[in-house]
Amino acid sequence: MAQSLTDDAFDAFLDSRPGWMVLCTQGADGYPHSVPLGYFRVDDRVYLGCRDHTTKVHNVERNPKVSLLVESGSTMSDIKGAMVQGTAIVRREPDEVLRCMRLGAAARGVPEDQWPTQARNGSAYIEVRIDKRISWDYGAAS
């Protein structure tokens, strides 16, 4: 039986998995729309970078309830996962995009003098407030 992660362990797991997180939104047709995106976490928010005016952006604007998923492991004895259920907002204004880009650089440990100074044209960020944390760790149960 899997064990749940504490809030601190949950955050540490998210932060230890730089790379990709699956964003799941609800499409206009009612079907789930799941895509991997680069991400970082700051406090109770997860930020996902993307291009503006894409399906995922339109889905968030239509219905801000989303889920996010990160997992690791390859066998039943070491599978660990963290799912966020949250409320999303699209950040697309250049000053908002630049703020998110700078937050991401800081989260990755980039020296401040190397942080971005202008937003990438056509970029957006999906900011997700963590409303609920769901996790599993099969390695902890063995």
Side-chain angles (χ1 to χ4, degrees):
M1 165 107 44
Q3 293 183 6
S4 295
L5 302 171
T6 65
D7 284 352
D8 288 341
F10 189 100
D11 290 344
F13 181 66
L14 288 184
D15 296 345
S16 73
R17 306 288 304 159
W20 304 101
M21 171 178 269
V22 176
L23 165 70
C24 188
T25 60
Q26 184 178 25
D29 58 4
Y31 283 98
H33 178 77
S34 302
V35 293
L37 295 170
Y39 78 97
F40 61 92
R41 183 190 65 83
V42 176
D43 300 323
D44 68 339
R45 305 277 195 246
V46 176
Y47 296 85
L48 304 114
C50 63
R51 301 294 299 166
D52 200 2
H53 307 294
T54 56
T55 299
K56 62 192 140 297
V57 167
H58 295 302
N59 288 348
V60 165
E61 291 175 323
R62 188 174 32 261
N63 179 353
K65 301 294 185 190
V66 301
S67 66
L68 307 171
L69 174 67
V70 175
E71 62 86 27
S72 69
S74 59
T75 67
M76 218 36 208
S77 64
D78 67 354
I79 292 175
K80 182 187 286 190
M83 182 171 60
V84 167
Q85 291 179 334
T87 305
I89 186 168
V90 176
R91 303 289 186 190
R92 67 166 50 93
E93 296 301 320
D95 60 327
E96 294 175 329
V97 171
L98 180 59
R99 179 183 67 83
C100 293
M101 291 172 66
R102 292 172 67 89
L103 283 172
R108 290 189 309 277
V110 174
E112 190 171 349
D113 65 342
Q114 296 176 25
W115 289 0
T117 57
Q118 63 183 40
R120 284 187 295 269
N121 191 26
S123 292
Y125 277 82
I126 298 172
E127 177 183 318
V128 179
R129 182 188 71 224
I130 299 173
D131 295 330
K132 186 173 181 182
R133 298 161 185 259
I134 301 166
S135 62
W136 51 95
D137 184 352
Y138 284 91
S142 48

